[in-house]
Amino acid sequence: DREAAAHFLKGAALNLGFSRFAAECLVAEQTCHADPTARIDIAALRQCYEVSKQAFLTGLSARAPPPAQIRNSARISSSVMSR
């Protein structure tokens, strides 16, 4: 149902740090709990999600690459394991 979906999305949003989207999902969850037939502005939720996702992706691309020893760890461990 819509309340459970809003609850699920809220939890997923919090795991990713999408605090504004999580807050919007909480409002939707509470609204559905109070009145299962209440209108939820899905377009506004989608827009909030898109803004959150874009901020997240921008933050990822702005992060520095990991140090060389971490980047090379997969190659090194593969080499050690094959011996």
Side-chain angles (χ1 to χ4, degrees), residues 37-65:
T37 64
R39 182 182 174 281
I40 302 299
D41 189 350
I42 300 298
L45 280 173
R46 283 186 177 151
Q47 176 63 28
C48 184
Y49 167 75
E50 288 299 329
V51 169
S52 299
K53 180 178 81 171
Q54 189 56 49
F56 178 79
L57 293 174
T58 299
L60 281 180
S61 66
R63 291 178 58 199

Side-chain angles (χ1 to χ4, degrees), residues 3-76:
E3 181 181 352
H7 179 79
F8 171 81
L9 288 173
K10 177 186 71 179
L14 289 170
N15 282 326
L16 292 170
F18 294 8
S19 56
R20 182 168 170 242
F21 182 62
E24 295 294 326
C25 290
L26 174 62
V27 170
E29 180 184 7
Q30 292 171 335
T31 299
C32 290
H33 181 76
D35 178 6
T37 64
R39 182 182 174 281
I40 302 299
D41 189 350
I42 300 298
L45 280 173
R46 283 186 177 151
Q47 176 63 28
C48 184
Y49 167 75
E50 288 299 329
V51 169
S52 299
K53 180 178 81 171
Q54 189 56 49
F56 178 79
L57 293 174
T58 299
L60 281 180
S61 66
R63 291 178 58 199
Q69 66 268 23
I70 294 174
R71 283 194 310 268
N72 295 328
S73 65
R75 180 180 54 78
I76 293 167

